Amino acid sequence: MQQRKLGKTGYDVSEIGLGTWQLGESFGPVNDESARTILKTARSLDVNFWDTADVYGMGQSESRIGGFDDKAGVRVATKLGRNGDIFPGRSGFTRKALKESLTGSIKRLGVETLDLAQLHTVPTEVLRDGEIFNHMDDLRDEGLMRHYGASVENTEEALLAMRHDGVATLQVIFNLFRQDYIDEVFPQALEKNVGIIVRLPLASGLLSGKWTKDTTFAETDHRNFNANGEKFNVGETFSGLPFKTGVELADQLKQMAPNYPLSQFALRWILEQPAVSTIIAGVTRAEQLKGNVEAAGRDPIEPALMDKLKDWYADKVRPAIRGRI
């Protein structure tokens, strides 16, 4: 597995990481045995960057990672700031609340200090105010985490976060259906040595290329209950695209992609971006993780095709995205 530097952290992380939202059963049931199999597969494939959050299954994802006994060399990143609530009030961003969240994550993960703590899509006005970064500086200096970053919803929030020197990483929604970060955010990230962690690389599965307009999801799956942004930011589900539109666009991509799985092509495209440090894709089966890892070994995409995909995004995809990009 190829590795890249994760910005100011200095960590060497695998190009393909592991997202663990699913270990909190937000994509439907994942039992303890399946969760352990996924983690064991990640270890066997040298996937050494795992991303979780205190709200994934109300701590279940962190606890499952903490209970896994073979994490030597693995960098575990968690997220905080929602204080157990999808829509936290302002009280969730106080120094006291942040410290409580960090302390809870440390206990569940079974560590003395967190490798990386990321502000979890806190509101734009909180990022703009900036006081939350002073709190994070203080808590880092206390030893609760070695580094901190921010998981953001759009390019404006990414630029706001990078105004603060303590921000070592940014976690962003970036994929073939969400390309705007390339023009302004990524150049600044390279200049400031901020590591880029890509989430939702397959647009909640749309870029697997396996779905039809008739595909349905479990009642507990966010692709069901948040398909139109009913519960949280619409960009977190299908990258903000209406589901049926996303299926049509994925079918168009199949005509442009090389002769291998669309999911691997989508991941390979992300890895063509020099600013990207690692990609975290959630999986519910070990075989999916193996396929993701194969993508890192694919040949680079030809420049002409990269240009074609940029134009296709501007003409066909971007006008259909809902919410702030």
Side-chain angles (χ1 to χ4, degrees):
M1 168 67 71
Q2 296 276 354
Q3 295 185 339
R4 299 185 182 190
K5 288 290 183 187
L6 184 60
K8 299 171 188 175
T9 70
Y11 299 153
D12 291 314
V13 296
S14 51
E15 289 184 331
I16 302 296
L18 177 66
T20 64
W21 191 0
Q22 76 283 9
L23 299 191
E25 303 191 74
S26 296
F27 289 77
V30 176
N31 61 32
D32 288 342
E33 182 179 355
S34 296
R36 183 170 178 80
T37 297
I38 289 169
L39 297 178
K40 285 179 66 177
T41 302
R43 293 295 287 132
S44 70
L45 295 172
D46 294 325
V47 173
N48 77 338
F49 184 80
W50 301 356
D51 177 85
T52 185
D54 58 0
V55 294
Y56 292 170
M58 300 307 293
Q60 178 175 273
S61 176
E62 289 182 327
S63 295
R64 282 174 161 174
I65 292 171
F68 186 72
D69 57 6
D70 182 21
K71 298 190 291 293
V74 174
R75 297 293 184 181
V76 178
T78 193
K79 297 187 284 294
L80 75 157
R82 292 175 181 244
N83 206 25
D85 192 345
I86 289 178
F87 300 108
R90 186 82 183 191
S91 62
F93 312 125
T94 64
R95 188 182 187 284
K96 179 177 182 292
L98 294 172
K99 186 170 185 177
E100 288 175 353
S101 292
L102 290 167
T103 301
S105 292
I106 286 171
K107 182 177 181 180
R108 287 186 291 273
L109 289 168
V111 297
E112 294 183 1
T113 303
L114 298 168
D115 289 326
L116 175 65
Q118 305 158 96
L119 296 172
H120 197 177
T121 57
V122 301
T124 306
E125 60 268 22
V126 175
L127 298 177
R128 188 177 291 115
D129 172 79
E131 183 64 18
I132 197 168
F133 297 105
N134 296 329
H135 297 328
M136 294 297 282
D137 284 337
D138 290 344
L139 295 167
R140 178 201 58 204
D141 294 345
E142 280 188 27
L144 276 74
M145 69 281 202
R146 296 181 178 89
H147 303 278
Y148 74 84
S151 178
V152 297
E153 302 277 20
N154 53 63
T155 54
E156 179 191 3
E157 292 179 354
L159 295 170
L160 286 171
M162 283 195 293
R163 296 190 307 185
H164 299 271
D165 291 339
V167 172
T169 63
L170 282 176
Q171 187 176 134
V172 301
I173 303 171
F174 180 68
N175 55 56
L176 279 161
F177 290 160
R178 198 87 167 194
Q179 300 185 23
D180 287 61
Y181 289 91
I182 293 173
D183 293 330
E184 188 173 5
V185 173
F186 285 1
Q188 283 201 34
L190 286 169
E191 180 182 345
K192 295 174 179 288
N193 195 23
V194 173
I196 296 293
I197 302 163
V198 171
R199 74 178 187 278
L200 295 172
L202 300 181
S204 306
L206 276 175
L207 289 166
S208 70
K210 297 179 179 179
W211 296 343
T212 70
K213 293 180 181 180
D214 296 323
T215 299
T216 59
F217 305 96
E219 184 177 346
T220 57
D221 193 318
H222 76 101
R223 293 171 294 190
N224 177 19
F225 66 75
N226 196 59
N228 297 300
E230 296 93 334
K231 295 295 184 180
F232 45 85
N233 187 296
V234 69
E236 296 283 353
T237 304
F238 307 132
S239 291
L241 290 170
F243 177 70
K244 291 184 178 180
T245 301
V247 171
E248 293 173 356
L249 291 168
D251 287 341
Q252 291 178 26
L253 268 177
K254 292 176 189 177
Q255 306 304 312
M256 293 185 274
N259 190 27
Y260 56 83
L262 180 61
S263 60
Q264 293 186 17
F265 176 65
L267 296 174
R268 182 65 250 176
W269 177 86
I270 294 171
L271 291 174
E272 298 300 324
Q273 312 299 329
V276 170
S277 298
T278 188
I279 301 170
I280 50 171
V283 299
T284 55
R285 294 179 291 106
E287 291 74 18
Q288 294 170 317
L289 183 55
K290 293 176 183 177
N292 293 344
V293 169
E294 286 180 13
R298 294 288 184 181
D299 290 337
I301 298 173
E302 293 291 332
L305 180 52
M306 293 292 289
D307 291 341
K308 182 178 180 180
L309 291 166
K310 182 177 181 180
D311 292 340
W312 171 79
Y313 170 74
D315 294 340
K316 303 294 185 181
V317 183
R318 198 179 193 281
I321 298 174
R322 298 165 298 178
R324 295 160 62 199
I325 301 175

